[in-house]
Each structure stands twice: as structure tokens, then as C-alpha cells.
Amino acid sequence: MSGGPVAIVGVGLMGGSLGLALSDGPREVVGVDPDPEAVRVALAVGAIDRAAGSLEEAAGRADAVVLAAPVPALASLARRALAASGDDCVVTDLGSAKSALLGALDARERERFIGGHPVCGAERTGVAFARSDLFRGATWFLTPGAEARPDLFERLHGLVGSVGAHAVAIDARVHDRLMALVSHLPHVLAGALVNQAAATAPGGREALRSSGPSFADLTRVAGSNPPMWADILVANREAVLEALRAYAGRLAEVEAALEHADRGWLLGFAEEAAAARGRLTDLGAAGPARPARVVVAVPNRPGVISEIATALGHAHINIEDLRLRPGPPDGLGELELTVDGREAAEAVRLVGERGYRAREA
Amino acid sequence: MSGGPVAIVGVGLMGGSLGLALSDGPREVVGVDPDPEAVRVALAVGAIDRAAGSLEEAAGRADAVVLAAPVPALASLARRALAASGDDCVVTDLGSAKSALLGALDARERERFIGGHPVCGAERTGVAFARSDLFRGATWFLTPGAEARPDLFERLHGLVGSVGAHAVAIDARVHDRLMALVSHLPHVLAGALVNQAAATAPGGREALRSSGPSFADLTRVAGSNPPMWADILVANREAVLEALRAYAGRLAEVEAALEHADRGWLLGFAEEAAAARGRLTDLGAAGPARPARVVVAVPNRPGVISEIATALGHAHINIEDLRLRPGPPDGLGELELTVDGREAAEAVRLVGERGYRAREA
């Protein structure tokens, strides 16, 4: 990674935490925010080294610009950051919905803009609640388009790794459908449940006051940041609608089973859920990784690293580290990937399937 | 409370935990279970003092019979326990659905049968996972019918308090509608969500493996005891259907808002949820209680205590202790209730509203 500043546009909880996480590193962190109080606190807690007066000023000399702003503002901010920054600067964001944003940019803009989404958060918002370890161990999705420049993807991958997160390349539409299912739909479900309980008082007894710890668990996510969630739901509405309609169909099946007092069906439903839930628990209990290196011969053209990284990301093969050694302009360079040794053979196979020569090193 | 044995029918997680919780007390605990291994473990861990060969043998000399068996078996077990026990024995259960069970018994049977439901549980089943503190601090609903004998209700209330739970009287139908909303529907929602995530792999990437800690929280309840949950859903299917249909209506509203990209509506939805969620958190943070006594003059007839206790239960006024001093056969006795001092005036008012003379003592 080069040594120019990192510009953070929006120093709230996420932007501020990123600044804190980068503050031990060698690179200057420049921050900008429309709220002067946020800038003051960010400087005071050491989340940024320097405040810029505008996005353009912050982006001017930066090697990387990170847009940590509300989702509806991202497309316009991305365009401004690309226009204001040099040809060697990568621009990324932290938004929870990716397809619409990438679609709002043109092919040229997607050479230097690579979408990002760290999967983490906190119950409180604002830079005062920023923590340097917010991203530690988190999955940080990257959604490089086919036009993404290999060197800039490499730099962004390194930036994500430097704050302790796991960079996982993923197709933007796949990302949005996944998040709709495992995050956005759950927020909708929790919200509808807590609203229904709040509105119901059978026999004069408030339902909400009769709820126990499992109801509290189930609805915990319903309490956070309404404006942000309204933005996310609108930005990812197509994928959320798809997930919601499929879900409504599942509830209709439960309804039919209840109408017919069909215990056998309900038992199958609960057993299927228990099995899936068990798999989820098992997945969280993976053993320690033994790192291995996979070396791939790659032509010097945009989209190649994105393609390889995304193929591995979709196969849940984690790229711990990624280094690019460019070759001659019309020859082959080397892409060196560090992965879990148990997955190295599968990584070689997947990359080979896409027509690239790969070997375990 | 008198000194006869407590009979526990079914020594699994719940029955075994009740036995352990009672094992420090003065009363003998007799257990019975169709599974000889459960009986052996229950004796070994001290959950029961003595094993009986049959329900009839266990109930024969008991002062209280607690049915800790699967929901579909309860009506038949209740009838057998009532037939085998003496006229001074109260029979209760621990089932999660109450109306159908009470409806299956006749008025005469409901004099000595008083439904119960401790709101607690654990991820594992079986007496090997029983714990003496399972009920500590838990709400333990009691659903006395109008026929319930005052002295037996008093005894059951005391039994519940002796294991550290809070006895809360509630109308059986109100109980079922509440549990449908705050427990049974949430189980259905979590199950449908985890099943949908398990069945979906957008772009070849498994959704389940991309889920984070909040998805895990939201679906935690989906993993537990499928046969028990199938039984509960069938037993309480009318109330669950009502809650599920209302919920489906709420999701349809979200769907319409997403279709129209109606950010204003979605913001209102999320704000309503955040406010309700905030109230839920506040409700959990009540200050320490200053006990007060409320004395009510009560005629010596069935249903009076049930009526008073249920009225307070519906108003969320917790009766910490309840003592009955019977008067002459055709005169007035005294019911002494211990409640939180901040709620004593309201308790006096509510009881007065029902035509009984009450005062703070």
C-alpha cells in the first residue's frame, strides 16, 4: 500500500471507528463531515489526524477515500470523490446496499470505485461511540465491478485487512440478496413483531410487558437507527421485496398447517429449522487455519483479480492476504493469495476452472 | 401449605428442575415417568426423593400433583390425577397452552385443577440438564377457572413462590393469546427465517454462512425441541393463527411501502419499533419494590380469589404473597395480598371496582 493519506468522508460511528483503527498505522487520516461537532470530537478522540474543509480538499491528495455517509448520499459523493482525487486513488464506501450504487456509476467510474460493506455495527451511533476494534474479525464485503483496477483492489484489500477485518469479494447483486435475507428482512420481521406486540393488549394485559428474554433477543435489532434503516430498505428494496415475498409464502404454509392442525407438517418445519440452526452453530466453530499460498498467473487487465477474488468469496474461501506482482504490459503477472491450507486445493481448482493457471506454492 | 408430598408426573428438564428446587424444602417429592432411565437419573441427582410405580401411586397421598408432561397428554393425565388424589389435593401442569386443556375438563374437575405455565426453559432437554434455579425470577402464570377452590389456589401460589418464581394469575384465553404473540409466533418466525436462509444460495454462496451475530440471535429459538413445539403450536393453534394473520397483514403493509419506495412510511415503521423496543427495555429496569399489604374481605366461595388475582395479574400487579384467612361458612374471610407499595392503591381500586371491600394494611 502506498503512503498517501486516507480520507474519511463522514466521521460517525463507522467512519470514526475506521479512523481509530487506522490511527496506529503509518498513514495520515483526513476527515470531513458536514457536522462541525462530529469533526471536533473525531479530532479530540484521535479518530482523524486532520480535518479538511471539504470532500474535495480531503480527497485531493488521498490514496484512498472512504465514504462513510448515509446510503442515499453515496452515489453523488462517489462522483465528487472520483473527480477530486488523483488517478491513483481508490474510492470505496461502507453502505449496506451495493447494486444500485454501482449501477449509478459508469464503467469509467467503476475502475477506481470499489464498493465495500463491513458487516458490523453497534447499538449507538455517532463518533463518540467509535471503537478501534469495531471491524476486528468482521466480514468486510468488497464488490469490485469487472472494470475495477487490480492495483486498487489490492490496496483496498490490504486496507481492510489492516483494521483486522476479513475482506470477502462478492458480486454486488449476490451481496444485496444475501443481506436482504440475513439482515434486512430480519430487521423488518423484528420491527413488525415488536409493533404488533406493542399494539396488542389481550384482556387489557399489555403483550409487550408479558414478553420474556427470547422475545427481547428476537426484537433487539428493531431498536436501532430508524433513518438509516429506512434508507437501507429503500436502497435494497428489490432484493428485500424478493426475500419478503418468499417469506410470506413460507408463513402461508405454516398458516395452512395450523388451520388443518397438521402436527406432522409442523414437526417437519421445526425439525428442518433445528437442523439448519445446528449447521449455523457448527459453521461458527471452525478450527484454526494453517495458511497456504496459492499463486495465479494473471494477465495485466482490469477485472481479473475481481473475478478470481469473487469466485473464491462465493465459495466461502477466505483470502487472508492478496499480493499482485505485475508482469510486462502485455505479459503475465503473478497474483499471490494466502488462504486456509485446507481450502488451497479447492481454490486452485476454482481458479483453474475460470481459465487461469494456478498452483499451491 | 400442608405437609403432604408433591407428586411430579414427568421428570424431564422442567419436572426435574422443579424437584431440585423443592428438594431443600420440607416436603417429600415423589416422581413418576414412563422412562425408567429418567427416573434413575432424577433419583441420582436428587430431583426426587422417591419414585412411584404409577401416576395413581404418586398422586394417592399427595397434596399437590404437578403434570410436567407433553401438552397433548395433559388432559388425560389431569383426569387420572384428579381421580387418584384426595379431595384436598391440587392438580396443576406446566404446559404452554391453557384454554384447550381447561376446556377438556368439566366444572367439577376445575375445582381442584388449576392450570400453570412457568415462562422459562433451556436449550437442552432432559433431567440431566435440570437446574434448581430454573424458575428463579421467572413469571409463572396460573389460570384458575371460576370454579377453582380458594384454599387450593393459595397452596399453589405458595408452591410457585417457594421455588423463586412470580405467580401471576391470568385468564386462560388471555394467556394463550399473549403467548401466541410473544412466544409461539416468534418461534414460527425464527423457524421460517432460518429455513429460508438454509434453502437460499444466491450466486452459489450459501446465505446461512453469510449470516452474522444478529441473525444468530434472531433465530436462536428455532433450534429447540421440535416435537414439543409442534405440540404447542397445535394446542394453541387458534391464538397462533390469529397472531400470524395479523402479522401477515403487517408484512403486507411493509411490502406495499417497499413497492412504492415509500421512505416516509418505512421511517415511521422503524421509529415505532424503536419506541416500542425502548419501552421494553425500560420495563425491564424497574426499581426495587417496597412491599405493602392489601387486605380484602372475601366471601367463602369458589372463584373469588381467582377473580381478584386475575384482575391484578392483567393489570401487571404482582402478588408476591397471598394468604387466605377463611371466615365462618356464610360470612366473610380475609385475603391478604403482598404487593409492591407503589401499586397498592391501584390494587385497592381494582379490587373495589369488582365489588370487594379492600384496604391497604
Side-chain angles (χ1 to χ4, degrees), chain B residues 89-113:
Chain B
C89 177
V90 63
V91 179
T92 188
D93 73 308
L94 310 180
S96 301
K98 305 261 65 90
S99 306
L101 173 56
L102 281 169
L105 303 178
D106 64 28
R108 180 74 203 276
E109 289 169 321
R110 288 192 298 259
E111 290 174 14
R112 290 201 288 122
F113 181 87

Side-chain angles (χ1 to χ4, degrees), chain A residues 75-97:
Chain A
S76 146
L77 293 176
R79 255 184 237 109
R80 282 173 58 195
L82 289 165
S85 58
D87 190 47
D88 190 43
C89 176
V90 64
V91 178
T92 188
D93 75 305
L94 309 180
S96 301

Side-chain angles (χ1 to χ4, degrees), chain B residues 39-63:
Chain B
V39 171
R40 196 190 61 73
V41 175
L43 283 167
V45 302
I48 59 178
D49 299 312
R50 185 162 57 85
S54 68
L55 179 152
E56 281 70 19
E57 183 196 329
R61 288 178 42 246
D63 269 350

Side-chain angles (χ1 to χ4, degrees), chain A residues 138-188:
Chain A
T139 294
W140 188 313
F141 287 118
L142 298 177
T143 59
E147 307 87 351
R149 251 173 49 192
D151 57 326
L152 299 185
F153 180 77
E154 178 190 20
R155 185 188 304 160
L156 183 56
H157 198 283
L159 185 76
V160 165
S162 75
V163 298
H166 304 296
V168 175
I170 187 169
D171 177 77
R173 295 182 67 90
V174 170
H175 169 276
D176 286 358
R177 292 181 63 203
L178 276 177
M179 288 304 110
L181 190 50
V182 304
S183 171
H184 308 169
L185 175 61
H187 266 81
V188 167

Side-chain angles (χ1 to χ4, degrees), chain A residues 34-321:
Chain A
D35 175 8
E37 177 61 13
V39 172
R40 194 190 63 73
V41 175
L43 282 167
V45 301
I48 59 177
D49 298 312
R50 185 161 59 84
S54 68
L55 179 153
E56 281 70 19
E57 183 196 328
R61 288 177 43 244
D63 270 350
V65 178
V66 181
L67 307 173
V71 166
L74 291 172
S76 146
L77 293 176
R79 255 184 237 109
R80 282 173 58 195
L82 289 165
S85 58
D87 190 47
D88 190 43
C89 176
V90 64
V91 178
T92 188
D93 75 305
L94 309 180
S96 301
K98 306 261 63 88
S99 306
L101 173 56
L102 281 169
L105 303 178
D106 64 30
R108 180 74 203 276
E109 289 169 323
R110 287 192 297 259
E111 290 176 15
R112 292 200 286 122
F113 182 87
I114 298 173
H117 174 214
V119 184
C120 57
E123 293 198 23
R124 316 292 276 275
T125 60
V127 64
F129 296 100
R131 318 190 318 246
S132 65
D133 65 349
L134 185 66
F135 306 107
R136 189 151 299 282
T139 294
W140 188 313
F141 287 118
L142 298 177
T143 59
E147 307 87 351
R149 251 173 49 192
D151 57 326
L152 299 185
F153 180 77
E154 178 190 20
R155 185 188 304 160
L156 183 56
H157 198 283
L159 185 76
V160 165
S162 75
V163 298
H166 304 296
V168 175
I170 187 169
D171 177 77
R173 295 182 67 90
V174 170
H175 169 276
D176 286 358
R177 292 181 63 203
L178 276 177
M179 288 304 110
L181 190 50
V182 304
S183 171
H184 308 169
L185 175 61
H187 266 81
V188 167
L189 300 182
L193 182 61
V194 79
N195 286 348
Q196 185 166 337
T200 312
R205 191 181 164 96
E206 278 181 280
L208 207 55
R209 292 187 66 171
S210 296
S211 67
S214 71
F215 182 87
D217 271 3
L218 208 82
T219 56
R220 187 176 51 78
V221 295
S224 61
N225 208 334
M228 185 187 82
W229 277 99
D231 288 339
I232 291 172
L233 293 175
V234 170
N236 199 27
R237 69 195 190 90
E238 282 181 33
V240 177
L241 268 171
E242 183 191 355
L244 182 56
R245 286 172 184 147
Y247 189 82
R250 287 180 181 266
L251 290 191
E253 287 178 357
V254 177
E255 192 177 326
L258 286 169
E259 277 164 358
H260 300 97
D262 187 345
R263 184 184 184 279
W265 191 95
L266 293 166
L267 179 60
F269 168 85
E271 280 173 342
E272 189 186 335
R277 183 74 183 108
R279 276 180 58 218
L280 188 60
T281 312
D282 292 346
L283 289 171
R290 175 178 58 80
R293 282 180 311 158
V294 169
V295 176
V296 191
V298 289
N300 192 6
R301 66 160 195 264
V304 172
I305 298 201
S306 319
E307 182 191 352
I308 291 172
T310 302
L312 300 190
H314 286 204
H316 295 273
I317 295 175
N318 200 18
I319 302 172
E320 284 302 332
D321 197 28

